[in-house]
Amino acid sequence: MEQKMQMFENRLTKVFRHISKLARRQNITCYRVYDDDIPEFPFSIEMYEDQVYIAEYNRRHGMDDDAHEAWLDTCLELISKILDVVPEKIWVKQRQRKENRKSQYEKLSLENHEMIVKEGGLQFRVNLSDYLDTGLFLDHRITRSMVKEEVKDKKVLNLFCYTGSFSVYAAAGGAAEVTSVDLSKTYLTWAEENMRLNGFDTTKHPFVHADVLQYLDTLKLNTFDLVIMDPPTFSNSKRMKDFLDIQRDHAELLNKVLLATKKDGVVYFSNNYRRFIMETEKINAAAIKDITNQTLPFDFQQKMIRKCYRLIK
């Protein structure tokens, strides 16, 4: 075990040195440091300014609870030392929460920790304690900037908007109107807060609580200049009428989105399905371009499972 711990220490030291240098150079304060690089250390480790967010992936490790707790504490001490962050600023999420977690880090998962972070000159509220995701998907940093660059005076639709980071970027790019749609009231409220946080008038930018699959059928033809759609891979939320399977349903979804898009309008579409194959022949777009590599941030170069496309009607 000592040998493996040494491997983990060496790897984390090396990647942190490299990635933190790139982040400083680009003035980026929220970035991913490590993602499951060594299978025996199944963590995702992210910096949020002066705080560290760690998610432990649920994986069969063969340890009993006590041994696993001791191992995790050792890992966290190491992470604290290498990243030079005190334990009080480290937030741990286990993909499968154990009710009997007893360790020096126990209080971390009991405290609530929300903070405002900056990205691209904009502000976002993140929550490092209560959800499996923090509220800001760091892998779409470049995609958000691309959207911001091309929305001036345009009507924008953000589907499956989550906490509205794309919406904020679109408003910052001078969009005439940004409509944000999500099935979760929690996330929509969060998205509105993010908009207000950046000084945008939420009365000018509608927030719609709806099941996207049904909402698309209500849209008028040729309404939007730019649409962002970043759906879950699968969803069978009790509030959703239909079960969503992105591989099976993406062509139908995109065709409905394209109907609501003006001629020469743009659709950004991404998803996290590892084996996703775009069925281009079924999609009624003038052009479809795979921009996955173009939108890959420096801190996701080693491991990026999401796909990203730019469609033109």
Side-chain angles (χ1 to χ4, degrees):
M1 186 51 108
E2 236 172 83
Q3 196 182 355
K4 283 183 177 165
M5 205 55 85
Q6 188 62 54
M7 269 172 62
F8 178 54
E9 182 172 359
N10 295 345
R11 176 70 188 163
L12 187 57
T13 303
K14 186 182 169 188
V15 294
F16 181 59
R17 198 175 287 151
H18 173 64
I19 283 175
S20 60
K21 197 183 287 178
L22 292 173
R24 272 196 306 277
R25 219 175 273 160
Q26 296 180 42
N27 201 18
I28 287 167
T29 57
C30 302
Y31 55 92
R32 182 166 290 186
V33 175
Y34 172 98
D35 189 9
D36 205 8
D37 298 23
I38 300 171
E40 291 89 344
F41 297 88
F43 302 115
S44 158
I45 304 174
E46 294 176 341
M47 297 295 301
Y48 284 85
E49 300 190 348
D50 65 338
Q51 312 272 331
V52 177
Y53 174 81
I54 302 171
E56 182 192 357
Y57 296 114
N58 185 17
R59 193 165 292 160
R60 207 173 286 155
H61 47 61
M63 290 178 262
D64 65 26
D65 282 357
D66 289 345
H68 180 254
E69 297 300 333
W71 168 84
L72 187 55
D73 280 348
T74 307
C75 291
L76 294 173
E77 278 169 31
L78 203 59
I79 293 166
S80 170
K81 182 184 85 172
I82 294 166
L83 272 49
D84 194 22
V85 173
V86 294
E88 291 72 38
K89 293 188 172 184
I90 295 178
W91 303 85
V92 186
K93 274 274 164 261
Q94 290 172 290
R95 292 289 167 180
Q96 192 178 37
R97 269 297 292 284
K98 290 196 179 69
E99 295 308 313
N100 62 346
R101 212 169 141 49
K102 296 272 186 290
S103 79
Q104 60 175 320
Y105 293 92
E106 181 182 29
K107 65 182 184 306
L108 302 186
S109 51
L110 298 177
E111 287 173 17
N112 172 282
H113 189 73
E114 291 182 357
M115 63 188 289
I116 306 299
V117 297
K118 288 191 171 68
E119 184 192 88
L122 298 165
Q123 299 187 82
F124 299 93
R125 180 166 73 81
V126 296
N127 184 320
L128 303 184
S129 55
D130 297 343
Y131 306 97
L132 271 179
D133 295 304
T134 63
L136 188 63
F137 289 134
L138 304 180
D139 61 305
H140 270 307
R141 194 185 300 125
I142 293 171
T143 329
R144 288 190 274 270
S145 292
M146 288 166 80
V147 165
K148 183 184 169 194
E149 291 304 308
E150 59 178 316
V151 292
K152 184 139 181 61
D153 302 326
K154 292 182 174 175
K155 275 191 84 168
V156 176
L157 175 63
N158 184 7
L159 299 165
F160 304 97
C161 75
Y162 187 45
T163 59
S165 52
F166 271 106
S167 301
V168 171
Y169 267 82
E177 183 185 87
V178 185
T179 302
S180 307
V181 186
D182 205 278
L183 188 56
S184 162
K185 282 185 176 167
T186 303
Y187 288 144
L188 270 182
T189 303
W190 195 334
E192 278 193 69
E193 282 176 33
N194 278 335
M195 273 293 213
R196 278 196 292 270
L197 198 55
N198 290 281
F200 300 118
D201 184 349
T202 51
T203 60
K204 290 182 183 164
H205 300 292
F207 291 83
V208 182
H209 176 238
D211 174 347
V212 169
L213 305 186
Q214 292 171 54
Y215 175 77
L216 286 174
D217 293 329
T218 69
L219 292 176
K220 293 191 176 77
L221 299 176
N222 312 315
T223 304
F224 297 97
D225 301 287
L226 187 139
V227 183
I228 302 125
M229 184 165 75
D230 184 19
T233 302
F234 299 102
S235 183
N236 59 348
S237 162
K238 291 184 185 67
R239 290 163 297 170
M240 264 177 104
K241 201 169 117 248
D242 306 305
F243 174 78
L244 172 70
D245 173 336
I246 202 58
Q247 182 60 62
R248 181 193 69 199
D249 301 330
H250 73 276
E252 185 188 352
L253 275 175
L254 283 167
N255 283 334
K256 285 181 179 180
V257 165
L258 286 160
L259 284 173
T261 307
K262 294 177 188 171
K263 187 173 180 339
D264 300 323
V266 172
V267 176
Y268 280 96
F269 167 62
S270 72
N271 72 80
N272 283 355
Y273 182 44
R274 284 170 192 272
R275 296 192 295 277
F276 182 76
I277 295 165
M278 185 76 141
E279 296 177 341
T280 44
E281 69 290 345
K282 293 183 181 173
I283 297 159
N284 308 320
I288 299 174
K289 189 179 180 192
D290 184 336
I291 58 167
T292 303
N293 292 336
Q294 263 172 273
T295 58
L296 211 58
F298 66 91
D299 46 334
F300 287 83
Q301 294 288 339
Q302 303 307 317
K303 189 167 288 189
M304 188 71 254
I305 56 165
R306 70 143 171 82
K307 304 280 201 310
C308 195
Y309 301 87
R310 189 173 186 271
L311 292 78
I312 296 172
K313 181 167 178 179

